Amino acid sequence: MEYGFDIAYVYKYVPKLLSTLDLTLLIVAGAIGTGLIIGLLVALPRLYHVPVLRQLSQVYVSFFRGTPVLIQLFLFYYGLPEILKLIYIDVTKVPVLYFVILTLGLHAGAFISETIRGAVIAVNRGQVEAAYAVGMTGYQAFTRIILPQALAIAVPVFSNLVIAMLKETSLAFTLGVMEMTGKAQSLGALSQHFLETYLSLAIIYLIISILLERILLVVERRLQRHMRRDTPNRNWLGIRRWLPLRRLTQELNLDKKEVPHYEA
Amino acid sequence: MKLDPSFIWTAFVKLLSAIPTTLEITFVSVFCGLIIGTITALARIYRIPVLAQLSSGYVTFIRGTPMLTHLLLIYFSLPMLIDGLSSEFGLGWNSARIPMIAFAFVSFSITAGAYMSEVVRSGLYAVDRGQMEAALSVGMTTPQALRRVVFPQAFAASLPNLSNSLIGMLHGSTLAFTVSVVDLNAKAQIVASTNWKFFEAYLAAALIFWGLTLLIERITAFVERRINVYNRGGVA
């Protein structure tokens, strides 16, 4: 295995690997989308204390948080067809990609349900009581009052989950999905320049995760705009920090805005 | 191919022999990671000129890339480095003599180090500034104050995060199969493919991992109760 390190391969492989980026991002989006739906469904029984479903969702969360993703991938890839065969559903022709998205979605769902639960619990109980007091139904109170506030609390944790999911997609290659890591392996095997290939792979992952972090930070700021910080806008020297004009005008107009207008 | 529930137990027994390898990888990487993490966290907290920037670059890079790429990068770069050094200085080293598990140790330690760095940093920030000042004012040196006053409290504060990282590394150790270390996952693969019973073997592996995770959670909860004794309110 005598070969020199050649930096030219790193530049050469970045565009080649980027051609499979859409597949990686598709897995991330699919898994997070599935996870959001599952997470919400799993969190609800625990939030509303539904007897049997609550224990079931506890076991589900414990299992998916207590086993490695890799094992889950193998388990579902090999196990799901066999279980579905018992009820005469043939899934042997289904592409591997769907198994990957489903498994990662179930994995993400466990973490997302915990995030949702934590965020909803973190919303002040007085909020929901106030919502009931003005005559909202349970559904209205949840969607109009609790959800927007819980979302703002959950988003930082959620963005961590998205970035973790991006990194977990690299495991899809073990089932033979040609996403970025799989592509990198075949490129490396072709040229025998493994180190350069994986270096460009790492650089792409790094850039994507930094980009994702930035985007999610913007979302976070936007969702948290209703949360005014209670701490005075002073640093430790006691000098008032520069305030953006928009925030300043917002603060000045605050008393005007907060007069509620109820229309019958 | 039919479901064979009794094979789950057979596989379970066969897999038990691979638990020590998995635990070894986990604990070695977490322990080395803790050392790396503490050094990088201190460098960043004390803003030591070059080291602080290097540390944050290291943490950003490692946390922004998958664990698998670290393992593969180490797996392909370490032999080159060692062979290069050995031919340069005539040390007579040979990369072929490195056991496979060493690659897992090195790469997972580097991975764990970056995550630990954040854990240690947040733990140290959780300790009240007055504690350090009080320790210095009674005449302790900075290392003494860190060791006797700050670190124990930081440890208590970061215990939940530490346990999460430990579980993360336990689950991450399954990647070691890519460099042909026979850990739990690799053993499950072997048992599965020799008996052609994939689902049962992986189910057994999943159950073992689940058990280990719950065990770590229990132990942490116990240690947390013990270690936070100093922190409780009341008089007795």
Side-chain angles (χ1 to χ4, degrees), chain A residues 62-63 65-68 70 74-75 78-79 82 85 167 170-171 173-174 194-195 198 201-202 205-206 209, chain B residues 1 3 60 63-66 68-69 72 76-77 115 171 174-175 177 185 189 198-199 202-203 206 209-210 213:
Chain A
S62 169
F63 178 79
R65 282 169 36 122
T67 50
L70 201 55
F74 286 128
L75 198 60
Y78 292 116
E82 288 191 43
K85 208 156 57 178
K167 292 184 268 173
S170 67
L171 299 176
F173 89 97
T174 51
F194 283 101
L195 187 55
Y198 291 131
L201 179 69
Y205 273 120
L206 182 64
S209 49
Chain B
M1 211 148 86
L3 217 57
T60 310
R63 286 175 27 118
T65 50
L68 182 65
T69 56
L72 292 170
F76 288 107
S77 70
Y115 288 93
H171 293 175
T174 49
L175 290 174
F177 88 99
N185 182 30
Q189 234 160 16
F198 288 92
F199 180 51
Y202 284 115
L203 196 59
F209 272 111
W210 196 3
T213 308

Side-chain angles (χ1 to χ4, degrees), chain A residues 152 219-228 246 250:
Chain A
V219 177
E220 191 181 320
R221 294 251 171 81
R222 204 173 150 64
L223 281 171
Q224 288 181 347
R225 67 191 184 279
H226 70 272
M227 281 195 215
R228 283 207 313 128
R246 250 184 73 205
Q250 244 175 22

